[in-house]
Amino acid sequence: DHNLLADLGFAGIEKNCPNAILPFKKPHNKELTQLQKQVNKAIGSARIKVEHAFSGVKRLKIIRNKIRLKTYQVRDRVFKIAAALHNLRLCYRAIQNQP
């Protein structure tokens, strides 16, 4: 089984996906408990890595804009190429930053 980390924009997803992990929403006129704040911070720190990867892939205009390619296979291949270029950029940066 896989867990799905989501933000509060996906509230209600837990009905269809029991493995969804959502942050706690602040109650009206109340504060979150310290434990709830820690859970929210842990969820956010795990999600930010994925969000940064998506933004790195979306640097390519063909991914950022609406893809008008006809078949799923072609769109899938374009996204894989974009992900590979993003990974190549990360590897190049790691090599450049070595002492």
Side-chain angles (χ1 to χ4, degrees), residues 69-85:
L69 301 171
K70 300 289 183 199
T71 66
Y72 169 79
Q73 288 83 9
V74 175
R75 290 191 306 263
D76 187 52
R77 186 168 294 160
V78 168
F79 194 85
K80 286 179 181 177
I81 291 169
L85 287 171

Side-chain angles (χ1 to χ4, degrees), residues 3 6 13 24 28 40-41 51-52 54 56 59-60 68 73 78 81-82 88-89 94 98-99:
N3 292 327
I13 197 171
F24 290 98
H28 188 66
N40 284 356
K41 187 170 182 159
E51 295 295 337
H52 284 164
F54 280 147
R59 288 182 185 189
L60 292 173
R68 291 184 167 86
Q73 288 83 9
V78 168
I81 291 169
L88 181 66
R89 182 172 51 242
Q98 286 181 349

Side-chain angles (χ1 to χ4, degrees), residues 18-59:
N19 293 341
I21 300 172
L22 293 165
F24 290 98
K25 187 174 180 182
K26 181 177 170 276
H28 188 66
N29 292 332
K30 294 183 182 177
E31 291 295 320
L32 293 175
T33 66
Q34 198 62 30
L35 179 62
Q36 289 173 326
K37 288 180 183 180
Q38 289 174 343
V39 169
N40 284 356
K41 187 170 182 159
I43 292 171
S45 63
R47 284 188 63 248
I48 195 67
K49 295 172 186 169
V50 175
E51 295 295 337
H52 284 164
F54 280 147
S55 71
V57 171
K58 286 183 178 180
R59 288 182 185 189

